[in-house]
Amino acid sequence: MKRLDYKTSRMVDFHQLYAFLNTFIATCQNDRIKTLFYVSESMEQLQLNIQDDVQACEFFFKKLKCCADQADHYIELEKFVIYMDLLFGMHYAPFNQYKKNLLNVIIRHIDHYFTSDEYCVIRHLIPFEQYPLEEIVELCQSHIDQNNEANRYFTCEIYLIEGQYKQALSLVDENEFTGILMDYQEDLLRYKRRNAWQQLWKPSEFVRYQQRYA
């Protein structure tokens, strides 16, 4: 299954999130929380209404944390972590602590391979955009054999997920693409076409000379 890059994975549809949270409201006994929820007509308004009310934060965090703790697999866990991150951001201390604890648990359970499923959750538990992807991967693989062939494939997929095709091709030759990597072939083909086009229209040294001294 093809996974979404970091930015795209966070583009959650407001109506989808609202409908999901509405299942919790049915059990809520606090009229203020209900009102704050029902008057929210956009993602921004929902975020502000929840973040500005301690009881609303506590209510939705408890419900979403329960969902995350009971998730059957990493794909489902990622969804609930994204929901919490969108609602609470950096403003709710219990969620920040939960992210630290969850990160430690996942890293401790990385055994022989650092898989793309583990990566896709971890990227939401750290300040992702502050670190190069290579640094994140190396840190998570620090206690396992990075030269393992299966690890090469998983690392290649991680780079493909984030659209870093040059790094992906440095790990696995395109002719070796099998299984999960096949899902990214169209993206890779577009990258190669775009790269070939840029090289084709790259100004020659003579053109640069003319432009410089014209």
Side-chain angles (χ1 to χ4, degrees):
M1 181 182 107
K2 183 179 176 183
R3 306 299 295 273
L4 299 174
D5 65 82
Y6 174 77
K7 289 184 178 179
T8 307
S9 70
R10 296 176 58 81
M11 294 179 184
V12 176
D13 179 72
F14 168 69
H15 298 289
Q16 174 188 334
L17 176 58
Y18 191 89
F20 180 77
L21 297 178
N22 195 37
T23 62
F24 302 147
I25 289 295
T27 64
C28 181
Q29 303 298 317
N30 188 313
D31 290 336
R32 174 176 172 77
I33 295 175
K34 287 183 177 180
T35 300
L36 289 171
F37 179 74
Y38 287 130
V39 300
S40 301
E41 297 182 344
S42 68
M43 186 70 80
E44 293 76 13
Q45 192 174 8
L46 179 64
Q47 290 167 330
L48 287 172
N49 286 345
I50 291 177
Q51 290 174 13
D52 287 346
D53 189 274
V54 175
Q55 290 183 326
C57 280
E58 290 176 352
F59 174 79
F60 285 110
F61 175 66
K62 182 180 178 181
K63 294 292 186 181
L64 286 166
K65 180 181 178 297
C66 183
C67 290
D69 290 342
Q70 295 176 0
D72 292 327
H73 44 73
Y74 280 122
I75 294 175
E76 191 176 38
L77 175 59
E78 182 190 11
K79 179 180 74 173
F80 297 131
V81 170
I82 291 171
Y83 284 176
M84 286 189 278
D85 207 23
L86 288 173
L87 290 178
F88 309 123
M90 300 288 291
H91 304 285
Y92 190 52
F95 175 55
N96 292 333
Q97 186 60 51
Y98 175 73
K99 286 196 294 184
K100 290 179 183 178
N101 295 342
L102 182 57
L103 177 63
N104 289 332
V105 169
I106 294 175
I107 288 179
R108 281 202 308 270
H109 281 81
I110 295 174
D111 192 4
H112 296 94
Y113 318 115
F114 175 48
T115 69
S116 54
D117 288 342
E118 291 162 334
Y119 161 75
C120 283
V121 176
I122 285 175
R123 61 185 177 173
H124 300 289
L125 304 176
I126 60 175
F128 177 80
E129 294 177 324
Q130 294 181 20
Y131 299 98
L133 181 54
E134 182 180 2
E135 189 174 322
I136 296 171
V137 172
E138 286 181 356
L139 178 63
C140 293
Q141 291 181 338
S142 57
H143 301 298
I144 60 177
D145 180 10
Q146 298 179 31
N147 295 319
N148 182 293
E149 186 158 343
N151 257 327
R152 263 198 317 123
Y153 272 75
F154 282 125
T155 305
C156 179
E157 186 192 6
I158 290 169
Y159 281 120
L160 289 171
I161 289 170
E162 300 300 347
Q164 297 193 17
Y165 304 112
K166 184 177 180 180
Q167 292 88 333
L169 288 172
S170 71
L171 292 165
V172 179
D173 188 270
E174 190 181 357
N175 295 327
E176 297 181 87
F177 274 27
T178 57
I180 53 178
L181 301 186
M182 296 292 288
D183 295 334
Y184 302 89
Q185 275 199 321
E186 287 188 14
D187 295 336
L188 188 60
L189 183 60
R190 280 195 293 271
Y191 160 76
K192 291 175 69 177
R193 284 174 177 167
R194 184 171 65 249
N195 197 46
W197 182 263
Q198 289 173 346
Q199 291 297 321
L200 181 64
W201 289 99
K202 189 176 181 180
S204 65
E205 290 298 327
F206 178 69
V207 170
R208 290 199 192 94
Y209 178 86
Q210 284 185 314
Q211 291 173 340
R212 185 180 303 171
Y213 295 103

